[in-house]
Amino acid sequence: MVYTHSVPRGQTINGDYHKQVLATLMNDHISRKRPELRGNWKLHHDNALPHIAHVVTEYLAKRNIKVVSHPPYSPDLAPCDFFLFPTAKKELKGRRFDSEQDAVKALEVILKKMSKDGFSNVFQAWQRRWDKCISLNGEYFEGEKFDVDQN
């Protein structure tokens, strides 16, 4: 399951907004698409202020959602940073869209055409990056370039 969310133009992203996004994810998407995961999954997000806001950490704790901590100064550990954004930029380079909705739809097409093996590769790369981070005691490192089709 891949959850996409686009932020409305002019919307401030803060803890309250992020909590609403998480509530939608848990209540609408996980409950409907993967009910077996309800209460049995882990969340990984980086240390952006909206992600670590008290309102968000309290919300997750009350729902017993386990959060995989993210070491400081480690942007190469977030799948969006090492995979999604570079892949999307490569696929969408030079294209123009008539609306924001068209751009979001184009990104969703990229995600939908990925194979299960492609997503599996992303999560294997995520694990390798975590292992490297742990072996370096949380020190910053620059991850290898990632191609969704790599093994």
Side-chain angles (χ1 to χ4, degrees), residues 124-144:
Q124 288 172 13
W126 185 61
Q127 181 63 51
R128 284 192 307 273
R129 288 163 186 261
W130 271 99
D131 291 344
K132 187 172 186 179
C133 181
I134 290 166
S135 72
L136 294 172
N137 295 316
E139 292 294 321
Y140 175 78
F141 68 92
E142 203 164 318
E144 75 275 8

Side-chain angles (χ1 to χ4, degrees), residues 42-103:
K42 294 178 183 174
L43 175 66
H44 173 234
H45 53 200
D46 60 20
N47 295 322
L49 292 178
H51 299 167
I52 60 172
H54 180 70
V55 67
V56 171
T57 57
E58 186 177 76
Y59 177 81
L60 294 170
K62 283 182 180 177
R63 283 149 188 84
N64 295 318
I65 302 299
K66 295 173 185 75
V67 177
V68 177
S69 62
H70 188 91
Y73 316 113
S74 299
D76 290 331
L77 288 179
C80 284
D81 293 331
F82 75 79
F83 161 69
L84 179 61
F85 300 144
T87 300
K89 284 171 66 174
K90 186 171 113 181
E91 292 276 333
L92 301 175
K93 185 177 181 176
R95 291 181 57 186
R96 301 271 185 228
F97 301 96
D98 293 331
S99 67
E100 291 175 30
Q101 293 84 2
D102 289 346

